[in-house]
Structure formats: C-alpha cells, structure tokens
Amino acid sequence: MMQRIQSIFNRLAGFANFEAERLARAHSIFIDADRRFGELETPAYLRRKPRVTSIRR
C-alpha cells in the first residue's frame, strides 16, 4: 500500500521518469559486469603469458 502511494506521489511530482531512466542506466551498466570483470578474478600472474621461450641446460 505504501509503495503504491509512493509511486503515485512520484508520478505527480515528476520523479518517476528521472528515477526510471537512472535505474535503467544503472541496470545497463551492471548487467554485464560479471562478463566484463570475470577475467579479473584470476590473478594477474596467471593471466600473463610466460616470457621464457626456452630452458637453459
């Protein structure tokens, strides 16, 4: 009931559009955060390619 009253107030006051746009923008930024930052969960030393090309004998 209180959420309904709040949504009606927001529409009357003009906050609904601004808040909806802000929520949509935040959703678009963070929806694919797992894909973008998933590779950073692996430590950097494991992601780097080895620089040594041969073994000394």
Side-chain angles (χ1 to χ4, degrees):
M1 179 68 177
M2 292 301 290
Q3 290 179 349
R4 178 78 175 145
I5 294 171
Q6 183 66 41
S7 66
I8 291 170
F9 173 75
N10 286 343
R11 281 191 224 146
L12 291 174
F15 293 120
N17 291 338
F18 173 74
E19 192 65 28
E21 290 172 5
R22 194 173 72 128
L23 183 62
R25 190 176 334 131
H27 185 70
S28 68
I29 290 170
F30 292 108
I31 190 71
D32 63 342
D34 289 338
R35 274 187 289 154
R36 289 189 301 171
F37 301 120
E39 69 181 30
L40 296 178
E41 291 178 359
T42 305
Y45 73 93
L46 293 176
R47 291 188 309 236
R48 289 188 195 113
K49 295 181 180 178
R51 295 182 191 174
V52 178
T53 56
S54 65
I55 299 173
R56 290 185 186 179
R57 288 185 183 206

